[in-house]
């Protein structure tokens, strides 16, 4: 049985094969020449064949040595790459990151966060993964997302961490043919008997977007249920109902036939970044840090809490 190849001996052999001179190879490896000669013979004995032809003035490769040189270079390159990737992974410098989001994600802040993150961590591949209304945790609960842009309220879990990036008003979306579209502002009282488009989502999240807590106990008249923003708008255009949405939706999804109207005394919507605390992944922490830094600047039109968020990001 032949002795398994040692990477150290292969490095010695490659140096001699490339220099074709034991003295120069020894100097390159920072070892004594007699020691290098002994190590090469050890390699030859282990393989069971001569790799080099030596004379007092000349060194050349045998046919077997030529084969081993090519294979040794590939093995050493693979070993170096394995070590590099392992070190990089330990520092979160390479790998992939799945960012969950719904609708317009973090609005104008999204490209700022992604751009800054890629500049700082060019070796990390970021995948943006869209989720519908049925999952307010945006993939975090199932593990399909590493980090996510979320819209509270959320039921807090032991594994969940949430940090607000910005806060914006909620608006009413109606068909431009609706009688309410003529108003510059409406009240919840005006909407009491109007049909609404509900999100197919857990009750607590669905109710927030129907503003049930501000209706004085009056039931909501439902005209349709939807799972995506596009479905919601189609239902509104078909005059099946109206809906509340975050202000940034108007900038990202506005289309002919829709009207966006401010609502007096309607609570705002916050956009947060969320991650799992039970998975200590360095790249996730780096993404959160990048998002926090990006949110420290007043980047989103309609942001209600710029000064508060700047303090939060410092």
């Amino acid at each position: 049985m032949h002795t398994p190849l040692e990477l150290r001996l292969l490095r010695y052999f490659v140096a001699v094969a490339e220099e074709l001179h034991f003295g120069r190879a020894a100097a390159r490896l920072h070892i004594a020449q007699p020691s290098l000669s002994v190590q090469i013979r050890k390699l030859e004995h282990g393989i069971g064949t001569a790799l080099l032809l030596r004379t007092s003035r000349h060194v050349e490769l045998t046919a077997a040595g030529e084969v081993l040189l090519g294979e040794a270079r590939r093995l050493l390159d693979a070993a170096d790459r394995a070590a590099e990737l392992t070190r990089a992974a330990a520092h979160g410098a390479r790998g992939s990151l799945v960012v969950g989001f719904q609708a317009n994600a973090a609005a104008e802040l999204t490209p700022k966060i992604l751009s800054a993150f890629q500049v700082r961590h060019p070796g990390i591949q970021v995948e943006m993964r869209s989720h519908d209304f049925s999952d307010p945790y945006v993939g975090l609960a199932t593990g399909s997302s590493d980090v996510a842009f979320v819209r509270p309220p959320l039921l807090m879990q032991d594994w969940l961490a949430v940090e607000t990036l910005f806060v914006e008003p909620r608006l009413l979306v109606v068909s431009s043919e609706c009688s309410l579209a003529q108003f510059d502002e409406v009240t919840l009282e005006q909407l009491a008997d109007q049909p609404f488009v509900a999100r197919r989502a857990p009750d607590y999240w669905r109710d927030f977007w129907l503003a049930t807590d501000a209706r004085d106990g009056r039931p909501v008249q439902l005209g349709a249920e939807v799972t995506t923003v596009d479905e919601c708008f189609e239902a509104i255009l078909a005059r099946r109902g109206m809906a509340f949405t975050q202000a940034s939706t108007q900038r990202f999804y506005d289309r002919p036939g829709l009207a966006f109207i401010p609502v007096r005394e309607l609570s705002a919507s916050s956009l947060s970044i969320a991650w799992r605390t039970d998975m200590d992944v360095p790249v996730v922490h780096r993404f959160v840090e990048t998002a926090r830094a990006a949110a420290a600047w007043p980047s989103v039109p309609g942001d209600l809490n710029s000064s508060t968020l700047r303090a939060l990001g410092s």
Side-chain angles (χ1 to χ4, degrees), residues 38-288:
V38 170
Q39 298 303 320
I40 293 299
R41 290 196 178 277
K42 179 180 178 182
L43 176 62
E44 290 177 320
H45 287 309
I47 292 178
T49 189
L51 302 171
L52 299 163
L53 296 176
R54 311 164 179 84
T55 68
S56 59
R57 294 187 301 179
H58 184 71
V59 176
E60 66 179 81
L61 290 166
T62 66
E66 291 281 4
V67 172
L68 182 61
L69 178 59
E71 297 301 322
R73 283 171 171 160
R74 281 188 283 272
L75 282 171
L76 293 173
D77 286 345
D80 290 342
R81 177 168 173 75
E84 177 188 349
L85 291 175
T86 301
R87 285 192 295 268
H91 292 88
R94 284 186 180 272
S96 62
L97 182 73
V98 177
V99 181
F101 73 99
Q102 289 177 330
N104 61 341
E108 286 83 0
L109 210 56
T110 310
K112 297 178 184 295
I113 294 171
L114 296 178
S115 178
F117 184 78
Q118 293 286 224
V119 168
R120 297 173 188 173
H121 308 287
I124 298 174
Q125 181 178 351
V126 177
E127 176 190 348
M128 297 292 292
R129 187 171 296 173
S130 177
H131 292 257
D132 62 31
F133 294 148
S134 66
D135 182 13
Y137 296 104
V138 198
L140 289 176
T142 61
S144 62
S145 297
D146 299 311
V147 63
F149 295 120
V150 298
R151 288 275 174 182
L154 296 174
L155 297 180
M156 289 304 297
Q157 311 292 333
D158 292 341
W159 47 264
L160 182 65
V162 180
E163 184 169 321
T164 300
L165 297 182
F166 62 85
V167 180
E168 60 181 331
R170 282 188 287 172
L171 304 178
L172 179 70
V173 192
V174 301
S175 165
S176 57
E177 297 179 0
C178 175
S179 60
L180 294 173
Q182 64 183 306
F183 292 99
D184 294 329
E185 183 182 69
V186 295
T187 66
L188 287 170
E189 183 66 28
Q190 289 176 271
L191 308 178
D193 298 322
Q194 297 290 337
F196 269 76
V197 178
R199 304 184 180 201
R200 288 195 181 96
D203 289 347
Y204 69 90
W205 207 68
R206 173 179 174 273
D207 288 348
F208 173 80
W209 289 105
L210 291 172
T212 57
D213 63 338
R215 293 174 180 269
D216 297 325
R218 288 176 293 191
V220 182
Q221 181 182 341
L222 296 183
E225 289 189 309
V226 296
T227 57
T228 68
V229 172
D230 287 328
E231 288 180 7
C232 181
F233 286 168
E234 290 302 323
I236 293 171
L237 290 170
R239 304 292 301 275
R240 298 177 63 192
M242 56 192 64
F244 296 120
T245 189
Q246 62 265 25
S248 53
T249 301
Q250 182 176 9
R251 301 190 297 275
F252 284 82
Y253 288 92
D254 194 11
R255 62 182 69 179
L258 295 177
F260 292 80
I261 311 167
V263 184
R264 193 181 305 166
E265 298 181 352
L266 180 65
S267 62
S269 169
S270 61
L271 185 284
S272 302
I273 190 163
W275 66 99
R276 295 189 68 107
T277 59
D278 57 352
M279 298 179 65
D280 189 18
V281 181
V283 68
V284 169
H285 298 309
R286 286 171 171 78
F287 189 85
V288 172

